[in-house]
């Protein structure tokens, strides 16, 4: 093990020990480890060493990450699409669950599950990471792990940019009706569980715009700075938009959705497979496509995924980029 690795490990162990001392003192004194007390005695773990600064902000690397995230999004949609729309999951009071929104209305089952998931993940630092954004950011709990000091890749105000309300609206108003069969099938818990996974994946993809924007700003500081000084959002939109890349993204996700979501049920659609062993599962929202003599069934219609990216994911990613860039000259 290299000396620097050893040093880092020792530092982490010491930090953890200090943290445990702190929590055990709190327990002995019967004091809750509040967010404030944690913030005041931060046995910080440094994350900067693990980040390769030369490549962290290359646009190519960021685009590779966006490509990997496509798989997570498409698989979560395929999983969700096996169940009906299950509207009661999204209606306040339709399914009795604990918890109330800020306006006094009862939580829906989805809100309840998302809130509880964020409580658990929040405690183990998920939302201290610059690429994660909570749907209930005001309710995040104190950490049970020592905080991590991330290297400062983004400008300090980046954390204030959170458009998860729009992510939720696109999901409920457009995606669920698009990928599921109308009606209910009683799979409320399973539906909400996949909703949470899909929402988190979409949120990450969309807020990745912060990293894209920072990379673009660093690569062309002069042009971006002049538009930022004029607060020219339209000009920024023109400068950051790459239509050729967007066309490739749409085409790629269409092909991925077609490949990952294909039901292999006919011998001509998957030569060499013994299709008798494969379950012919329900395909509530799946489309059908002609392919030679066989019909291809899709668990999620590829065109819906392409449309999701064209109409929502990329425009919202660019909205995040604009929000980030408009303030970029505030950065020290
Ligand atoms: C993310 C980028 O910025 C914009 C948004 C894109 C996206 O969300 O996929 C693609 C191209 C750009 O218009 C990028 O240039 O890669």
């Amino acid at each position: 093990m290299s000396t620097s690795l050893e040093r880092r490990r020792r530092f982490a162990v010491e930090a953890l020990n200090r943290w445990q001392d702190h929590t055990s003192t709190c327990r002995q004194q019967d004091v809750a480890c509040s967010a404030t007390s944690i913030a005041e005695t931060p046995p910080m773990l440094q994350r900067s060493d693990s980040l390769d600064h030369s490549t962290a902000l290359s646009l190519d690397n960021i685009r590779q990450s966006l490509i990997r995230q496509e798989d997570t999004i498409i698989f979560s949609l395929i999983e969700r699409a096996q169940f009906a729309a299950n509207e009661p999951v999204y209606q306040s009071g339709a399914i009795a669950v604990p918890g109330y929104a800020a306006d006094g209305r009862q939580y829906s089952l989805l809100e309840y599950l998302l809130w509880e998931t964020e409580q658990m993940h929040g405690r183990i630092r998920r939302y201290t990471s610059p690429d994660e954004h909570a749907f209930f950011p005001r309710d995040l709990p104190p950490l049970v792990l020592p905080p991590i000091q991330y290297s400062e890749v983004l400008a300090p105000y980046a954390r204030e940019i959170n458009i998860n309300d729009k992510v939720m609206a696109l999901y409920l108003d457009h995606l669920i009706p698009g990928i599921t069969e109308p009606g209910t099938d009683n799979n409320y818990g399973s539906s909400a569980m996949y909703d949470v996974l899909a929402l988190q994946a979409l949120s990450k993809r969309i807020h990745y715009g912060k990293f894209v924007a920072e990379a673009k700003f660093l690569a062309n500081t002069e042009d971006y700075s002049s538009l930022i000084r004029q607060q020219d959002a339209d000009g920024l939109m023109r400068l950051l938009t790459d239509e050729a890349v967007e066309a490739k993204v749409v085409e790629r996700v269409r092909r991925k959705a077609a490949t990952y979501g294909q039901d292999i049920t006919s011998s001509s659609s998957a030569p060499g497979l013994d299709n008798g062993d494969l379950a012919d599962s329900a395909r509530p929202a799946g489309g059908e496509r002609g392919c030679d003599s066989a019909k291809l069934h899709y668990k999620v219609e590829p065109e819906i995924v392409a449309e999701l990216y064209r109409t929502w994911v990329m425009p919202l990613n660019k909205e995040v980029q604009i929000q980030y860039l408009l303030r970029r000259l505030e950065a020290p």
Side-chain angles (χ1 to χ4, degrees):
M1 197 189 293
S2 78
T3 326
S4 109
L5 253 180
E6 271 166 8
R7 242 199 336 267
R8 245 189 292 162
R9 218 176 97 169
R10 217 175 27 247
F11 180 84
V13 170
E14 283 166 11
L16 205 58
N17 286 341
R18 282 202 302 280
W19 175 254
Q20 281 162 347
D21 287 349
H22 165 71
T23 48
S24 112
T25 310
C26 289
R27 263 197 309 276
Q28 282 161 17
Q29 298 171 353
D30 201 19
V31 178
C33 287
S34 68
T36 325
S37 64
I38 286 166
E40 281 164 5
T41 50
M44 289 277 188
L45 297 179
Q46 303 286 334
R47 256 299 157 82
S48 47
D49 299 6
S50 60
L51 207 86
D52 178 352
H53 287 270
S54 61
T55 54
L57 267 183
S58 102
L59 194 51
D60 279 351
N61 279 0
I62 293 167
R63 284 179 175 154
Q64 284 308 314
S65 174
L66 296 181
I67 291 172
R68 279 196 305 277
Q69 291 175 46
E70 289 162 4
D71 298 1
T72 316
I73 292 172
I74 292 168
F75 279 117
S76 63
L77 298 182
I78 287 172
E79 295 288 9
R80 176 60 185 86
Q82 65 189 300
F83 305 115
N86 285 326
E87 280 301 330
V89 169
Y90 313 110
Q91 290 160 354
S92 160
I95 299 166
V97 287
Y100 293 88
D103 60 8
R105 149 191 87 67
Q106 274 187 344
Y107 274 156
S108 67
L109 177 62
L110 173 61
E111 287 169 320
Y112 167 67
L113 188 62
L114 197 47
W115 193 90
E116 290 288 354
T117 303
E118 291 189 349
Q119 293 299 303
M120 186 54 81
H121 293 189
R123 283 187 205 108
I124 55 163
R125 301 194 290 237
R126 179 171 187 162
Y127 300 104
T128 66
S129 178
D131 59 353
E132 293 284 355
H133 299 77
F135 284 79
F136 297 96
R138 277 186 290 274
D139 295 349
L140 286 178
L143 301 178
V144 299
L145 295 179
I148 290 175
Q149 178 72 59
Y150 286 94
S151 58
E152 285 171 20
V153 172
L154 299 176
Y157 57 80
R159 178 53 58 197
E160 293 163 31
I161 301 169
N162 181 332
I163 62 166
N164 273 340
D165 50 344
K166 294 190 179 174
V167 177
M168 180 64 87
L170 99 83
Y171 187 77
L172 297 184
D173 299 343
H174 300 279
L175 254 185
I176 286 297
I179 64 170
T180 60
E181 187 84 340
T184 58
D185 60 12
N186 214 27
N187 284 302
Y188 296 153
S190 304
S191 300
M193 208 178 71
Y194 288 121
D195 288 333
V196 168
L197 295 181
L199 282 164
Q200 289 172 333
L202 285 165
S203 169
K204 179 168 176 172
R205 168 59 168 88
I206 285 164
H207 288 98
Y208 235 70
K210 297 178 189 181
F211 294 94
V212 178
E214 180 64 24
K216 289 181 176 176
F217 177 82
L218 293 179
N220 186 2
T221 304
E222 208 177 306
D223 290 350
Y224 277 104
S225 295
S226 130
L227 292 165
I228 294 166
R229 273 192 289 273
Q230 298 162 53
Q231 290 290 287
D232 181 354
D234 293 343
L236 284 170
M237 184 60 95
R238 279 191 294 276
L239 188 56
L240 64 82
T241 296
D242 188 328
E243 284 177 7
V245 169
E246 291 191 14
K248 275 194 204 158
V249 171
V250 171
E251 205 32 51
R252 189 176 52 244
V253 296
R254 187 201 313 276
R255 278 191 287 123
K256 281 185 179 178
T259 309
Y260 306 160
Q262 207 176 111
D263 257 337
I264 316 284
T265 51
S266 94
S267 52
S268 55
S269 64
L273 275 181
D274 178 5
N275 294 311
D277 289 344
L278 298 172
D280 188 3
S281 57
R283 293 174 296 279
E288 285 185 356
R289 285 282 165 85
C291 173
D292 300 332
S293 57
K295 293 255 185 205
L296 286 188
H297 295 272
Y298 297 121
K299 292 170 183 159
V300 169
E301 176 59 50
E303 185 48 35
I304 290 181
V305 179
E307 186 62 20
L308 163 71
Y309 266 75
R310 195 188 302 112
T311 314
W312 301 103
V313 172
M314 296 195 298
L316 288 177
N317 176 287
K318 292 197 286 184
E319 182 175 329
V320 169
Q321 292 189 50
I322 299 279
Q323 284 194 25
Y324 182 86
L325 286 167
L326 282 172
R327 294 180 61 182
R328 185 57 180 79
L329 296 182
E330 285 175 21

